[in-house]
Amino acid sequence: MNFNDKTVLITGANRGIGEALVRACLEKQVKKIYACSRQLEKLPQFNDSRIVPIMLDISSREQIEQATLLCKDTQILINNAGTLNPGSVFEGDLISFKHDMKINYFSTIEMMRAFVPVIEKNTDPRIVNICSIAIYVNFPFNAGYSASKAALYSISQAARIELSQKNIPVHIVNPGAIDTDMNKGSTMEMTAPIDVARSILSEVEREIEDIIPDKIGREMY
Ligand SMILES: NC(=O)c1ccc[n+]([C@@H]2O[C@H](COP(=O)([O-])OP(=O)(O)OC[C@H]3O[C@@H](n4cnc5c(N)ncnc54)[C@H](OP(=O)(O)O)[C@@H]3O)[C@@H](O)[C@H]2O)c1
């Protein structure tokens, strides 16, 4: 598989790993990128005619539906958008736990359900779900987030089996520590988003199903 001439949709494309995935796709000679963001004005100036900005809050069923109509030629769906609310089991705010579960798990399921009928009509369809290294071992200070990503990992495995009948591969990406707003204030050594994005794309091209795209993630694993 390769990204040349492919049409890719990326959620949460306005910053962090999502923005870097857009830039890495542009390096790969893709045909088109639907760069999705909750607010279009937040999208960086990519200065490339292959970028099509799409307003998409993945917690909105109406906006997902609208995106399926606007992005009918999508071949590769990259579910990158996610939230992290810190907190331990006993001291964390349950509303925050529910929010992470809603976005990282339920809204990502809604994206897959809405877009499978779209991508299956196109050639070389595939899904890439950005989970986390926290799916393997819960980080107790981010307990609710870790659980939401473990849930996403589990349902992505189910999607992978179900979609194998339609020849739609489902890649699961489990990054370790990436230098984005999500880790703002952390002093630990972290991988640059562009390096992780390039690594994700090259592992997808190698048809690797479960991807740990960074050195720290691999060490944690
Ligand atoms: N950074 C890491 O070390 C790390 C490690 C493992 C996994 N991950 C995962 O990688 C993905 C990207 O994370 P990141 O580090 O790039 O984080 P980030 O810099 O905080 O970016 C998160 C992105 O998700 C978007 N988003 C949040 N809620 C959304 C919603 N309801 N609808 C649409 N977009 C929404 C944000 O949009 P707004 O700007 O509008 O908020 C932003 O574009 C996430 O799934 C995260 O869990 C990150």
Side-chain angles (χ1 to χ4, degrees):
M1 178 274 165
N2 66 62
F3 278 83
N4 292 356
D5 217 31
K6 295 289 192 308
T7 295
V8 186
L9 184 149
I10 302 170
T11 63
N14 56 292
R15 60 190 169 104
I17 296 172
E19 176 190 350
L21 281 166
V22 173
R23 296 190 189 284
C25 281
L26 291 173
E27 292 171 357
K28 286 273 185 195
Q29 322 290 327
V30 296
K31 182 177 181 184
K32 194 191 285 180
I33 300 170
Y34 292 115
C36 303
S37 173
R38 290 197 279 191
Q39 290 166 277
L40 291 182
E41 60 273 21
K42 282 191 190 166
L43 278 172
Q45 291 296 327
F46 291 108
N47 294 319
D48 194 302
S49 59
R50 293 172 291 168
I51 300 287
V52 180
I54 299 287
M55 189 172 80
L56 177 57
D57 181 330
I58 64 165
S59 68
S60 160
R61 233 180 236 168
E62 293 72 30
Q63 287 188 25
I64 292 178
E65 180 66 33
Q66 183 68 12
T68 61
L69 300 175
L70 292 171
C71 311
K72 283 197 172 117
D73 52 349
T74 302
Q75 293 167 281
I76 303 172
L77 168 66
I78 304 187
N79 285 311
N80 163 76
T83 56
L84 184 161
N85 285 290
S88 74
V89 180
F90 298 103
E91 288 171 13
D93 175 2
L94 265 190
I95 292 171
S96 305
F97 279 29
K98 285 180 186 170
H99 182 74
D100 285 353
M101 192 59 89
K102 178 177 175 191
I103 302 303
N104 299 339
Y105 180 63
F106 287 109
S107 299
T108 306
I109 295 175
E110 299 233 30
M111 282 293 294
M112 289 196 287
R113 285 186 173 201
F115 270 91
V116 163
V118 173
I119 63 175
E120 73 178 332
K121 292 197 183 87
N122 302 324
T123 54
D124 296 333
R126 72 183 57 224
I127 296 175
V128 180
N129 285 342
I130 310 294
C131 293
S132 169
I133 201 71
I135 61 133
Y136 297 114
V137 176
N138 192 298
F139 298 154
F141 47 90
N142 291 331
Y145 168 81
S146 301
S148 74
K149 288 291 184 174
L152 176 59
Y153 179 62
S154 180
I155 208 81
S156 300
Q157 289 179 318
R160 175 182 286 163
I161 293 165
E162 205 173 332
L163 293 179
S164 67
Q165 292 158 11
K166 296 176 187 272
N167 285 322
I168 302 178
V170 177
H171 299 267
I172 299 171
V173 180
N174 298 318
I178 317 304
D179 193 3
T180 68
D181 293 343
M182 201 169 262
N183 288 319
K184 216 178 211 160
S186 166
T187 52
M188 76 186 285
E189 186 203 336
M190 289 184 278
T191 305
I194 189 64
D195 292 333
V196 92
R198 287 178 181 139
S199 166
I200 291 167
L201 298 195
S202 71
E203 295 287 84
V204 169
E205 285 187 331
R206 291 176 57 223
E207 309 265 5
I208 306 295
E209 289 193 319
D210 283 5
I211 298 168
I212 303 179
D214 62 304
K215 183 168 165 278
I216 296 159
R218 286 189 290 273
E219 284 168 5
M220 287 167 152
Y221 180 72

